[in-house]
């Protein structure tokens, strides 16, 4: 029902920056939570950052101070500004969105940090 369309992934050198975007469409319900997970090769999927409709945020300890999550409620769009990127940030990043009764996943976008 709800579709999440991601953009902004790619290749970046250590210390560089990228901004991911995810736009939700197809639902009349308010998306109370939007955010990002990631999965690196050989590792489990983990929460990176999330933000509520009231702008409350939550970050993984590994990205605090480097990543910033934000959203445009009118556009149902969530962003992830990634700075000071490290090799260990390399992963497939997945957008997600949730109401009080449902949740949805994006298709994933590859972020590769390498020199």
């Amino acid at each position: 029902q709800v579709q999440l369309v991601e953009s902004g992934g790619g290749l970046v050198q250590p210390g560089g920056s990228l901004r991911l975007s995810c736009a939700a469409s197809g639902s009349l319900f308010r998306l109370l939570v939007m955010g990002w997970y990631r999965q690196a090769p050989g590792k489990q999927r983990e929460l990176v950052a999330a933000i509520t409709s009231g702008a409350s945020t939550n970050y993984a300890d590994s990205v605090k101070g480097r990543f910033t999550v934000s959203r445009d409620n009118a556009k149902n769009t969530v962003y992830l500004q990634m700075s000071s990127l490290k090799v260990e940030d390399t992963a497939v990043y997945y957008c997600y969105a949730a109401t009080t009764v449902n949740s949805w996943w994006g298709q994933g976008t590859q972020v590769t940090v390498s020199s």
Side-chain angles (χ1 to χ4, degrees):
Q1 186 180 9
V2 170
Q3 291 184 313
L4 304 178
V5 181
E6 300 165 315
S7 62
L11 175 66
V12 65
Q13 293 184 335
S17 300
L18 283 174
R19 188 183 74 161
L20 305 183
S21 300
C22 175
S25 63
S27 177
L28 297 178
F29 295 102
R30 292 185 180 273
L31 299 174
L32 300 183
V33 179
M34 299 187 74
W36 300 88
Y37 285 72
R38 69 185 181 187
Q39 187 166 24
K43 296 184 178 181
Q44 293 185 306
R45 187 175 298 185
E46 64 176 350
L47 175 69
V48 178
I51 184 167
T52 69
S53 60
S56 178
T57 58
N58 185 42
Y59 295 93
D61 288 341
S62 60
V63 307
K64 287 181 179 178
R66 300 189 298 118
F67 291 10
T68 301
V69 64
S70 60
R71 67 184 289 172
D72 184 333
N73 289 332
K75 296 182 178 179
N76 291 134
T77 299
V78 63
Y79 307 92
L80 185 67
Q81 178 64 51
M82 305 184 293
S83 300
S84 301
L85 282 162
K86 304 175 180 179
V87 172
E88 50 263 45
D89 293 319
T90 296
V92 177
Y93 284 69
Y94 297 90
C95 177
Y96 87 96
T99 65
T100 55
V101 295
N102 282 305
S103 61
W104 301 267
W105 292 94
Q107 79 286 352
T109 184
Q110 178 70 47
V111 172
T112 301
V113 185
S114 176
S115 60

